[in-house]
Amino acid sequence: MPKSREIGRSSLYGDYHSYDSSQRPLHVVIAGAGPSGIAMAIELMSLPNVTFEVFEKNPEVGGTWFENKYIGAACDIASHAYQYTFASNHDWSSHFSPAPEIFKYFKGVAEKFKILEHIHLNTRILSATFNETTGRWRLCASSVDKDGKRELEADVFINATGILNKWKWPDIAGLQSFTGSKLHTANWDTSWDWQGKSVAVIGSGATGIQVVPKLQPTVKSLEVYVRSPTYILPSVGFGVESSTFNKPYTKEEKIRFKSDKKYYREFRKAIEQQMNENFAASIQNSTAQIEGRQWAENMMRKYIKSEELQKKLIPKWELGCRRLTPGKPYLDAVQQENVDIVTSPIDRIIEDGIRTTDGRIHRLDAIVCATGFDTSFTPAFELRGLKNQNLKMMWSQNPAEAYMGIAVSGFPNYWTFLGPNTPIANGSLIPCIEWSAKYVVQALRKMQTEQIKSMSIKKHIQDAFNEYTQAVHKDLVWTGSCRSWYKDNKSNKVTAVWPGSSIHFMDVVKIPRWEDYEIEYMNENPFMFMGNGISAREANKEDLTYYLNEI
């Protein structure tokens, strides 16, 4: 609260001392309680005069790790690298942990840091509209547990719903006419029994690579439809823990992880060092790319016995253009007698199976679509910014563009996680999420201490960033000859991946470039935040010779 006014002092500059955050209390709304939303909420806990709410559409936190219930669901990133820097789990079961274990980890972190009381479960954001007069967001939320809709306001709106959160059926003619079992990996029917059935799996990405080896042992026959192959490694990685694929950690190893901090730190650093070093191979025509591609091809050729199968499964494009995926169980499964790799394009789906363009009819009992998500980056809710511009419409008409994957021009006081052109394939991801949260916290502190009403990225700055991004990507593998969701396949414009390494991203966003923002202040005079000429240290009767502490 402000101190009582001293006699004779003007009221023009208020009663506050400089940098008093109580001059600008903030209410923040976060959409999504997955890894990004949890990280953001934890950061907000430390900010004075900030209140926040998190809206999660699911009945639990954890995001994709709660949703993914398909057989074989797991993370293809090392468990000890897929966790927060501030919340180590020493009890991971194996190098690649299953989805339920990862969900348990993120829920445990939410519980540990006491953010669950801020989270509204079974509640989704329907719309968010920025009010230019008040400088606040007007939001509408809908809860499964309660009747009707809830209207609310926030000074800041943060989208932490992630990229892969809107699953969709593949655009294949006749899909709805199929009379057998039809499943999507992102909406899995856990009651489905596949034993003794003729099954097709459409999709050869990371999810399909996990599903196939779980189906193969007990189905009658399994057809795997591969439109575009990907590099699949029969090892864990490039050296660390690669001797035995996904061997469970022993009780003794887990005890040492917990008891020997130096050993665990070095173990974890070795895994992430390896991941971050791999970016060197993302540069087209580099020695690392050429040698890495030869190495991956040789590994696959050595492991796949059939020359015919080698031709179907070994890519002919740059290593890393599509996601490099560990998959020894998959490579084992597709070489079994009851599995057929189908590379002929699908013409249409018929009542009792699939017809391919070579005229062949494939009779089936079930079709599993491991075909992914809507990757347009358009939010699941309606988002309207300055001049009522609609982000969903903007990004549905043209490839998505943002500012460093964190902010979008024309949408003040709005920040997002893992937006367009963020480091989702460039090295360690979780630290990048943490650094994004720290970036947002710096913005909120600036809004508080300088009495800022709204902040919005300048349009010409966002355009310049995207021009730079596409220029850099001309030399990186993601503009290669593969078909990938990392890019707009019509224009070849890379929309998903950061133009550099994960470490590069963390360096760039560590210190925000405030000059890139259009800033509107709460007061006509922007220097009103300086208050009454008294510093916070003086007002709080703190050490006034702090500058001598290092002598």
Side-chain angles (χ1 to χ4, degrees):
M1 297 293 293
K3 308 295 183 184
S4 58
R5 182 175 299 135
E6 295 182 28
I7 297 176
R9 301 202 66 165
S10 169
S11 62
L12 291 177
Y13 48 77
D15 301 321
Y16 300 90
H17 57 264
S18 64
Y19 294 102
D20 183 351
S21 68
S22 66
Q23 295 178 86
R24 182 68 167 108
L26 295 173
H27 184 64
V28 180
V29 165
I30 303 172
S36 297
I38 291 171
M40 187 72 252
I42 291 171
E43 286 287 343
L44 292 180
M45 293 286 283
S46 64
L47 285 181
N49 300 306
V50 171
T51 56
F52 68 92
E53 299 174 85
V54 185
F55 291 84
E56 170 54 55
K57 63 183 174 64
N58 291 318
E60 281 283 10
V61 300
T64 188
W65 300 112
F66 168 76
E67 294 177 357
N68 280 336
K69 293 178 169 58
Y70 63 86
I71 51 173
C75 186
D76 57 8
I77 299 296
S79 304
H80 287 281
Y82 199 80
Q83 57 180 342
Y84 300 122
T85 61
F86 55 82
S88 293
N89 175 24
H90 306 98
D91 293 319
W92 294 111
S93 62
S94 56
H95 187 83
F96 300 124
S97 295
E101 194 174 330
I102 301 171
F103 160 68
K104 180 181 178 182
Y105 166 76
F106 284 110
K107 183 175 181 179
V109 172
E111 292 173 340
K112 178 181 179 181
F113 287 89
K114 303 184 187 309
I115 64 169
L116 292 180
E117 62 189 66
H118 297 272
I119 300 175
H120 304 281
L121 298 173
N122 284 319
T123 308
R124 65 174 66 238
I125 298 293
L126 298 179
S127 64
T129 302
F130 187 73
N131 186 318
E132 296 183 45
T133 302
T134 63
R136 307 192 83 203
W137 284 96
R138 290 184 289 108
L139 302 106
C140 178
S142 177
S143 173
V144 173
D145 301 328
K146 300 176 182 178
D147 295 331
K149 300 174 183 177
R150 175 187 171 189
E151 304 286 340
L152 66 153
E153 290 194 354
D155 299 291
V156 172
F157 181 38
I158 299 171
N159 182 358
T161 56
I163 316 167
L164 307 179
N165 62 77
K166 294 179 293 175
W167 68 273
K168 65 175 184 177
W169 291 109
D171 185 16
I172 301 175
L175 179 63
Q176 301 307 320
S177 67
F178 182 65
T179 56
S181 299
K182 185 172 78 245
L183 301 94
H184 193 290
T185 50
N187 189 38
W188 193 257
D189 179 0
T190 56
S191 67
W192 176 55
D193 181 11
W194 59 88
Q195 295 188 53
K197 292 183 171 61
S198 297
V199 180
V201 173
I202 302 175
S204 58
T207 302
I209 290 169
Q210 292 178 346
V211 168
V212 165
K214 294 296 182 180
L215 293 173
Q216 180 273 321
T218 55
V219 295
K220 177 183 178 182
S221 64
L222 181 61
E223 293 185 336
V224 182
Y225 287 76
V226 178
R227 180 174 61 177
S228 177
T230 190
Y231 286 101
I232 304 171
L233 302 180
S235 64
V236 167
F238 298 85
V240 176
E241 297 192 303
S242 62
S243 58
T244 304
F245 189 88
N246 210 25
K247 181 181 178 181
Y249 293 117
T250 65
K251 180 180 179 180
E252 290 72 25
E253 285 176 313
K254 294 178 184 179
I255 290 174
R256 189 176 184 188
F257 289 155
K258 191 172 185 178
S259 62
D260 191 336
K261 292 184 179 180
K262 181 180 179 181
Y263 170 79
Y264 181 67
R265 181 173 62 250
E266 293 305 314
F267 170 79
R268 185 169 172 182
K269 281 171 67 69
I271 294 175
E272 298 211 28
Q273 177 78 16
Q274 176 193 71
M275 292 172 61
N276 290 322
E277 285 177 349
N278 291 343
F279 178 77
S282 300
I283 301 172
Q284 291 199 47
N285 302 315
S286 65
T287 300
Q289 164 64 206
I290 294 170
E291 292 180 349
R293 179 174 175 176
Q294 290 175 344
W295 170 81
E297 288 179 1
N298 290 338
M299 285 194 73
M300 291 185 70
R301 193 168 286 110
K302 182 179 179 180
Y303 204 80
I304 302 170
K305 307 305 180 185
S306 163
E307 289 187 13
E308 179 185 355
L309 205 53
Q310 290 175 5
K311 292 178 181 178
K312 290 181 176 181
L313 293 178
I314 299 177
K316 294 180 174 59
W317 33 257
E318 301 84 351
L319 180 69
C321 184
R322 287 185 66 190
R323 185 181 181 88
L324 184 66
T325 308
K328 178 181 179 292
Y330 178 88
L331 294 178
D332 286 333
V334 296
Q335 296 183 77
Q336 303 307 310
E337 291 184 359
N338 66 336
V339 179
D340 183 25
I341 297 292
V342 181
T343 56
S344 296
I346 297 174
D347 176 41
R348 67 179 296 110
I349 294 176
I350 56 180
E351 287 187 1
D352 58 350
I354 293 174
R355 186 174 71 205
T356 47
T357 55
D358 57 7
R360 184 182 169 193
I361 301 296
H362 306 254
R363 308 294 180 187
L364 299 164
D365 298 312
I367 296 175
V368 174
C369 296
T371 48
F373 300 80
D374 174 355
T375 55
S376 65
F377 288 94
T378 57
F381 42 81
E382 184 177 88
L383 186 71
R384 294 184 179 273
L386 298 176
K387 299 179 181 178
N388 206 36
Q389 55 187 319
N390 187 319
L391 187 63
K392 184 178 290 189
M393 185 175 295
M394 287 168 53
W395 284 356
S396 62
Q397 294 174 343
N398 297 291
E401 289 188 351
Y403 169 83
M404 298 191 183
I406 293 177
V408 184
S409 177
F411 294 82
N413 301 359
Y414 171 77
W415 286 275
T416 184
F417 283 82
L418 305 180
N421 297 113
T422 40
I424 58 171
N426 314 56
S428 297
L429 176 63
I430 298 297
C432 294
I433 289 175
E434 293 181 36
W435 259 242
S436 297
K438 294 178 187 298
Y439 178 100
V440 175
V441 163
Q442 290 183 75
L444 300 189
R445 283 179 174 148
K446 185 175 180 68
M447 291 180 69
Q448 286 187 296
T449 58
E450 298 182 25
Q451 296 189 54
I452 291 173
K453 179 180 178 181
S454 66
M455 300 175 63
S456 178
I457 291 296
K458 298 171 183 175
K459 181 62 166 63
H460 76 276
I461 290 293
Q462 179 170 293
D463 291 343
F465 169 76
N466 281 278
E467 181 182 349
Y468 162 84
T469 294
Q470 299 309 315
V472 173
H473 270 302
K474 290 179 181 179
D475 294 324
L476 302 180
V477 295
W478 297 289
T479 49
S481 53
C482 73
R483 182 179 179 85
S484 166
W485 72 267
Y486 291 154
K487 61 186 176 182
D488 175 62
N489 289 295
K490 292 181 180 179
S491 65
N492 211 41
K493 179 178 180 179
V494 178
T495 55
V497 186
W498 177 259
S501 67
S502 291
I503 301 301
H504 177 254
F505 172 84
M506 293 164 69
D507 286 344
V508 170
V509 303
K510 184 177 181 180
I511 302 176
R513 290 169 45 94
W514 302 126
E515 63 269 28
D516 292 348
Y517 284 85
E518 294 280 3
I519 295 177
E520 183 179 355
Y521 293 87
M522 297 180 69
N523 301 296
E524 185 176 350
N525 187 325
F527 291 98
M528 288 293 287
F529 80 91
M530 293 176 63
N532 58 13
I534 299 173
S535 76
R537 289 179 178 275
E538 292 168 290
N540 297 328
K541 301 191 182 301
E542 297 174 0
D543 178 13
L544 302 185
T545 59
Y546 63 93
Y547 48 85
L548 298 176
N549 289 346
E550 300 302 319
I551 292 179

